[in-house]
Amino acid sequence: MKRPARRRWLRRLTWAALALFIASLAPVALLRFVDPPTSAFMLARQWEMRGEAGFSLRQEWVDIEAISPHALIALVAAEDQHFPSHHGFDLDAISSVIAERGAGGTRRGASTISQQVAKNLFLWSGRSWLRKGVEAYYTFAIELFWPKRRILEVYANIAEFGDGLYGVEAAAQHFYRIPAARLDARQSAALAA
């Protein structure tokens, strides 16, 4: 292959990689301002349960101001105590999990709220190094583009609280017959657990 032809292909590959990179960041940037109508996990669950009689996916988006502060605190306490201070990854928790697994310990995770948002919004379930790598990429992008308040708001609205039950509003309505704004500390802790 001649040198100009190689350069032309290299330039095309560079432009294609750049376009792919920008296309992958566009939804992250958009969802900072637009509430996601669904998530990859919700779509997968609907697909999985198609044809199952009686199954219905329930989710109702509410702004963070319409969620009880007790619920928000309970979610952070249950899922990611270092959420306010880390940049998407809890390196101490990751190190601890690696050490436990190396010693044959239990298989627990070290995912932060930011990582769970990335996974639930954009990715598939399952465990693989590929998915973890893509999750890390999206986690980094979310932490870069979104404030912590937005990350917590999205998490509270897309987390699964029961079979086909997504978001704190749907959970509050289902389990307590009240809006998420009226959850007390005990109810919030029970939902987060």
Side-chain angles (χ1 to χ4, degrees):
M1 188 181 287
K2 293 181 180 175
R3 191 169 228 125
R6 247 188 292 181
R7 282 194 191 131
R8 196 171 28 250
W9 277 106
L10 184 59
R11 207 171 318 131
R12 287 179 184 163
L13 285 173
T14 302
W15 280 110
L18 183 60
L20 183 63
F21 175 70
I22 291 169
S24 70
L25 291 180
V28 177
L30 179 68
L31 291 176
R32 175 181 177 167
F33 305 103
V34 177
D35 299 334
T38 189
S39 73
F41 269 47
M42 285 185 238
L43 292 172
R45 187 72 175 123
Q46 284 180 312
W47 176 257
E48 176 185 301
M49 297 305 290
R50 70 191 182 289
E52 285 286 325
F55 177 81
S56 68
L57 191 137
R58 288 165 289 172
Q59 193 252 356
E60 183 179 336
W61 184 276
V62 289
D63 292 334
I64 199 165
E65 295 81 16
I67 300 172
S68 163
H70 297 295
L72 298 171
I73 291 168
L75 288 173
V76 171
E79 296 294 331
D80 182 5
Q81 296 86 13
H82 297 113
F83 175 70
S85 60
H86 65 62
H87 299 290
F89 305 94
D90 186 341
L91 299 179
D92 291 335
I94 292 169
S95 296
S96 174
V97 166
I98 290 170
E100 285 176 19
R101 287 187 184 164
T106 60
R107 293 187 58 92
R108 68 177 177 93
S111 291
T112 63
I113 287 175
S114 304
Q115 287 175 281
Q116 291 179 53
V117 167
K119 177 185 68 175
N120 291 353
L121 264 183
F122 299 113
L123 304 175
W124 62 96
S125 63
R127 293 176 182 253
S128 72
W129 288 108
L130 173 63
R131 191 192 61 75
K132 272 299 192 188
V134 178
E135 177 186 305
Y137 170 77
Y138 275 110
T139 300
F140 178 76
I142 285 169
E143 284 279 340
L144 184 66
F145 286 109
W146 299 3
K148 291 287 190 176
R149 182 178 173 87
R150 178 62 174 169
I151 295 169
L152 186 57
E153 178 180 48
V154 172
Y155 178 74
N157 278 286
I158 66 170
E160 187 173 17
F161 287 88
D163 189 29
L165 191 62
Y166 292 87
V168 69
E169 179 68 20
Q173 294 285 349
H174 177 78
F175 292 112
Y176 300 112
R177 308 279 187 245
I178 60 172
R182 291 189 30 224
L183 288 167
D184 64 24
R186 184 192 57 77
Q187 295 163 331
S188 297
L191 288 179

